[in-house]
Amino acid sequence: NAGVMQNPRHLVRRRGQEARLRCSPMKGHSHVYWYRQLPEEGLKFMVYLQKENIIDESGMPKERFSAEFPKEGPSILRIQQVVRGDSAAYFCASSPLDSQAFFGQGTRLTVV
Amino acid sequence: SQQGEEDPQALSIQEGENATMNCSYKTSINNLQWYRQNSGRGLVHLILIRSNEREKHSGRLRVTLDTSKKSSSLLITASRAADTASYFCATDVRGSGNTGKLIFGQGTTLQVKP
């Protein structure tokens, strides 16, 4: 049973481009969470999704950020018109219902 | 405001010594978890302690939880150079049962010198 898979592991984007981060949850997990970690800081919750539904997006910036978890395929965190301040590590976690979440290795986004 | 706050922010010890890290939080929790993160890497789950538990052990790790003081501690005994990493506490404050929405502390950076 593979763990939570995130890709790409590293992503470089120029200012103004779009960044797409993918997360494939563990088999059988229907809950996905995205977190952002700025340098030298802890992880900050962004959004919680179940299949085809956004359950809690209280940590998402109001603009340029969106997330989805379609019926088929990975969860996608999308950042439009990236700025330097978006440079961070983005972690995805998945869990089955009411159970401990497991984290992926993260995607490190660098905006140049 | 930050739910989890850890101290110290940085800790440097010699191999073989014990390392103690503390975490305080503000709201009621379902459980508290500790994670390790090696530099530039992903998170490794270390241990979970539920709100009705006071102490838990896993190998060289010992975690305590004091819900009256809203605090937890992580003790690593007989530390090794390989324990060098950042350690984060995270609290689950949502609903009942265990979920993935966690509030993380800022972390303690531990350096174990050989």
Side-chain angles (χ1 to χ4, degrees):
Chain A
N1 188 7
V4 177
M5 303 300 291
Q6 289 188 248
N7 66 82
R9 292 290 305 277
H10 300 273
L11 181 62
V12 179
R13 283 287 178 267
R14 296 186 190 280
R15 280 178 294 171
Q17 291 185 320
E18 178 180 286
R20 280 183 179 244
L21 288 64
R22 287 177 290 277
C23 169
S24 296
M26 288 179 69
K27 188 176 180 180
H29 289 193
S30 56
H31 301 237
V32 166
Y33 307 79
W34 285 94
Y35 291 80
R36 177 166 65 178
Q37 184 180 31
L38 294 171
E40 309 301 325
E41 293 189 11
L43 277 69
K44 297 285 196 303
F45 169 79
M46 298 180 75
V47 62
Y48 162 35
L49 310 105
Q50 294 177 19
K51 285 283 187 182
E52 300 184 280
N53 283 304
I54 297 174
I55 306 302
D56 183 342
E57 55 182 346
S58 57
M60 287 279 270
K62 299 297 181 205
E63 298 177 345
R64 302 186 297 107
F65 284 71
S66 63
E68 62 177 14
F69 188 18
K71 187 176 180 181
E72 301 291 337
S75 175
I76 306 287
L77 178 67
R78 182 180 176 210
I79 311 172
Q80 295 178 291
Q81 299 175 321
V82 295
V83 300
R84 288 241 169 93
D86 296 332
S87 294
Y90 292 83
F91 289 93
C92 169
S94 74
S95 73
L97 180 64
D98 283 345
S99 184
Q100 176 197 330
F102 295 82
F103 281 82
Q105 290 294 310
T107 293
R108 276 149 187 86
L109 172 66
T110 302
V111 179
V112 298
Chain B
S1 63
Q2 184 66 38
Q3 163 75 336
E5 295 186 3
E6 292 160 79
D7 78 275
Q9 287 191 330
L11 181 60
S12 181
I13 59 175
Q14 293 294 134
E15 206 165 25
E17 294 180 338
N18 295 341
T20 299
M21 289 159 266
N22 302 297
C23 169
S24 61
Y25 56 92
K26 294 182 170 62
T27 62
S28 296
I29 62 171
N30 295 312
N31 63 66
L32 185 145
Q33 303 177 41
W34 285 90
Y35 288 84
R36 184 183 73 216
Q37 184 180 37
N38 289 77
S39 179
R41 306 291 293 274
L43 290 163
V44 175
H45 185 265
L46 295 176
I47 199 164
L48 179 153
I49 186 165
R50 293 182 171 78
S51 59
N52 61 352
E53 297 176 312
R54 292 295 166 260
E55 187 170 313
K56 206 161 183 180
H57 297 254
S58 177
R60 293 184 296 112
L61 305 180
R62 173 178 167 251
V63 168
T64 62
L65 179 64
D66 187 335
T67 52
S68 66
K69 294 181 180 177
K70 291 187 168 57
S71 67
S72 173
S73 67
L74 171 67
L75 168 68
I76 304 173
T77 60
S79 64
R80 304 167 182 167
D83 295 329
T84 295
S86 292
Y87 292 81
F88 295 92
C89 70
T91 51
D92 175 359
V93 298
R94 174 186 172 94
S96 60
N98 301 329
T99 72
K101 181 180 179 181
L102 299 170
I103 309 298
F104 281 81
Q106 296 290 336
T108 293
T109 300
L110 172 66
Q111 182 185 30
V112 181
K113 299 175 184 175

